[in-house]
Amino acid sequence: MTDQTAPVSLEEFNHRLAEISEAMPKRLRQCAEFVAQNTDRIAVSTVAELSAGAGVQPSAFMRFCQLLGFSGFSEMQKMFRETYAQKWPDYATRLENLRASGADSPSALLAEFVEAGRLSLENLASSIDAGSLEETVNVLAAAPMIHIVGFRRAFPVASYLSYAFEKMDIPAVLHDGVGKLNPRHAIRKGDVMIAITFAPYSQETIDLAAYARGLGNPVVAITDTMTSPLRRIDALTLAVSEVDVGAFRALSATLSLAISLAVAIGAKRDQAAQ
C-alpha cells in the first residue's frame, strides 16, 4: 500500500508513471508498459483482462494500482472513466457538446480552432528541445532511406512528410497499410524510421517502430505523453501536444514540426552534397 494521493487526471497519472516506472520490479513494470500502450482500454476492461494482457497475475496488477496511489483497481478505473468521459467522447457527443455551448457555427468554430492552433504552436515553440531537434535532423539527413509510419490521426502528418521528401528527392518509404500490405521487409540496416502516434496509440505504428529498432536502426518518434510506448524503445523523441476544441484535435503544431523537419533535412543534405 502507498500513502501517496491518487492521481485525479490522466496528466497526473502519466507524470507519476513516468517518475516511478523505471524503478519498478519486473512484473509491475510489465503492468506499467501495458497500461501506457492501452490507456483507452482501462475504463472498459476488467482487472483480469488487463492483467492477462500484461502477462501478470491479477494480484500484481492490483499492487501496481496501489503503487500509483490508488486503493485498488476500481479507484484507478473510476479515474480513467471520468477522464475519458470528459476527454474522449464519441463524435456524436462531441458535436452535441459544441451545439450546447453555442460554438458550432462556422465562424465560431473557425475562431476556436485558430485559437487552439495558436496555443499549440506557442507550446511547441516553448517546449521543443533544440538539441534533440538538431540531433534528429542530423540522423535523418544521413539516412540512406527514411521510413515513415503513422495511422489514423497521425496519417496526414506521415503522408505530408512523404510528399515533402519526394519533392526534395529524399529517399523515403511511406508505410500506409494500403491493401493490408506490410513492406517491413524494405527496412534495411542503417535506414531510419519516423514513427508518429498519439494517445490512444496505434499498435501498428508501435510494432513497426519496434521492428526497425530491433534491427539496430534509429527511430524518430513524433508523439505526445511522457508514457508514450515509443519512448520505451529508445527512440529520438520529439514531443508535441495539440490543444483541442470540444475534444476535436487539429494538427497545427504537429504539421509545423513535420515541415520544419523536412526542410531542415533537405538543407542539411544539400550542404553535404556540396
Side-chain angles (χ1 to χ4, degrees):
M1 186 69 68
T2 178
D3 58 1
Q4 291 189 92
T5 302
V8 296
S9 68
L10 190 58
E11 289 73 22
E12 285 186 25
F13 179 89
N14 287 336
H15 180 71
R16 185 167 300 172
L17 191 60
E19 281 185 333
I20 68 175
S21 61
E22 292 303 319
M24 287 179 177
K26 179 183 176 182
R27 294 302 183 192
L28 299 190
R29 193 161 60 248
Q30 284 178 231
C31 295
E33 291 173 356
F34 181 80
V35 167
Q37 295 179 32
N38 299 275
T39 52
D40 56 321
R41 293 176 54 182
I42 309 303
V44 295
S45 300
T46 65
V47 68
E49 291 169 337
L50 295 172
S51 57
V56 301
Q57 293 296 317
S59 58
F61 205 92
M62 293 295 289
R63 289 199 302 275
F64 166 76
C65 297
Q66 293 168 354
L67 187 62
L68 268 292
F70 299 100
S71 60
F73 173 70
S74 295
E75 187 182 10
M76 187 178 83
Q77 187 177 57
K78 181 174 182 289
M79 187 275 291
F80 271 85
R81 284 177 173 171
E82 291 174 348
T83 297
Y84 277 90
Q86 297 170 12
K87 194 169 184 180
W88 308 119
D90 59 33
Y91 278 85
T93 303
R94 298 182 203 187
L95 289 170
E96 181 58 37
N97 289 342
L98 286 174
R99 283 193 290 271
S101 67
D104 63 334
S105 72
S107 57
L109 280 174
L110 178 59
E112 291 278 358
F113 276 108
V114 167
E115 177 63 10
R118 183 186 67 80
L119 292 172
S120 299
L121 289 166
E122 287 183 353
N123 289 342
L124 176 64
S126 63
S127 65
I128 197 72
D129 182 78
S132 297
L133 189 59
E134 184 73 25
E135 182 182 4
T136 297
V137 169
N138 289 337
V139 168
L140 288 166
M145 180 67 69
I146 299 173
H147 297 266
I148 311 162
V149 60
F151 293 98
R152 299 196 287 275
R153 182 169 73 100
F155 181 72
V157 185
S159 58
Y160 185 72
L161 271 172
S162 177
Y163 168 80
F165 287 148
E166 192 273 333
K167 290 300 180 183
M168 289 187 282
D169 296 323
I170 298 173
V173 175
L174 175 62
H175 296 254
D176 56 11
V178 171
K180 293 293 183 180
L181 297 177
N182 184 0
R184 65 170 56 192
H185 63 274
I187 303 173
R188 299 291 187 233
K189 188 73 173 177
D191 292 350
V192 180
M193 169 74 67
I194 299 177
I196 312 159
T197 189
F198 307 98
Y201 307 100
S202 161
Q203 192 61 48
E204 302 96 323
T205 300
I206 296 164
D207 290 345
L208 192 60
Y211 174 80
R213 197 73 188 93
L215 295 176
N217 293 351
V219 173
V220 171
I222 298 177
T223 189
D224 47 13
T225 69
M226 287 296 295
T227 55
S228 170
L230 291 177
R231 293 177 182 270
R232 301 187 181 278
I233 61 171
D234 196 27
L236 288 168
T237 303
L238 298 177
V240 59
S241 61
E242 302 281 356
V243 176
D244 65 58
V245 176
F248 289 94
R249 293 166 296 171
L251 294 165
S252 305
T254 312
L255 284 168
S256 293
L257 176 61
I259 191 57
S260 299
L261 271 180
V263 173
I265 292 163
K268 180 74 72 173
R269 288 174 65 96
D270 283 346
Q271 290 173 4
Q274 294 172 6

